[in-house]
Amino acid sequence: MDYDTLVKQAAALGEEEAWMFSLFSNVSALIMESLEDLNWAGFYIVRSGRLALGPFQGKVACIHIEKGRGVCGTAWAQDRTQRVEDVHSFPGHIACDSASNSEIVIPIHRDGQVIAVMDLDSPKLARFTERDQAGLEAVVKAIEQVIRT
């Protein structure tokens, strides 16, 4: 995967429309088309003290996630990327799609606060490498530079 190109594409989408929902919609589609072995790519947005489902590509998903619960809620609570090789061994994992075996979740910030998380799932165990993490964190940085809520 050429993450430099993916970052440029995500930034360009934000230049076209920086409103969170439009940007998240297009970035989730971009990621789903660009990365192999994914079964879900999308965003959860901090709303009313919990994460609410935002734009995504994939099967039906959980609508609300409490802070600290599951991989997404843990990423939000700890304000750091969660790269999980086997979600079935993650305490409190929320199984929206039983086909998911690995996951990466990256917090998105605005004004120093977590406002959303980017969540990618794969049916492949240990799908996400350190290189993937660095590349996807760069995509999130590009989003953070342009996003409007």
Side-chain angles (χ1 to χ4, degrees):
M1 175 71 230
D2 179 1
Y3 281 106
D4 290 337
T5 299
L6 189 65
V7 168
K8 288 175 187 170
Q9 290 172 320
L13 290 170
E15 290 171 7
E16 176 68 23
E17 177 54 72
W19 181 50
M20 178 173 23
F21 284 87
S22 297
L23 181 57
F24 287 175
S25 294
N26 275 330
V27 170
S28 62
L30 175 66
I31 289 172
M32 197 67 154
E33 289 182 14
S34 300
L35 274 68
E36 294 180 359
D37 298 318
L38 296 184
N39 61 327
W40 204 91
F43 297 85
Y44 281 90
I45 300 160
V46 176
R47 183 167 183 251
S48 302
R50 60 187 173 176
L51 293 172
L53 180 63
F56 71 94
Q57 300 279 311
K59 291 184 178 181
V60 172
C62 303
I63 295 176
H64 297 110
I65 299 174
E66 299 300 322
K67 192 171 192 175
R69 186 164 178 258
V71 181
C72 289
T74 300
W76 176 27
Q78 294 180 2
D79 190 9
R80 68 180 177 86
T81 298
Q82 300 292 308
R83 183 167 46 94
V84 182
E85 292 185 351
D86 180 356
V87 295
H88 306 289
S89 65
F90 188 90
H93 172 252
I94 302 166
C96 295
D97 181 353
S98 62
S100 294
N101 284 312
S102 62
E103 184 170 7
I104 187 166
V105 179
I106 303 167
I108 301 170
H109 303 87
R110 172 122 186 173
D111 299 325
Q113 299 294 316
V114 176
I115 61 163
V117 298
M118 182 171 75
D119 179 21
L120 307 181
D121 292 0
S122 174
K124 184 178 173 184
L125 286 168
R127 159 61 182 89
F128 304 103
T129 64
E130 289 180 13
R131 182 177 173 278
D132 291 316
Q133 180 175 336
L136 292 166
E137 286 173 342
V139 169
V140 165
K141 292 284 185 216
I143 290 170
E144 290 174 338
Q145 298 299 314
V146 297
I147 194 170
R148 276 196 343 256
T149 54

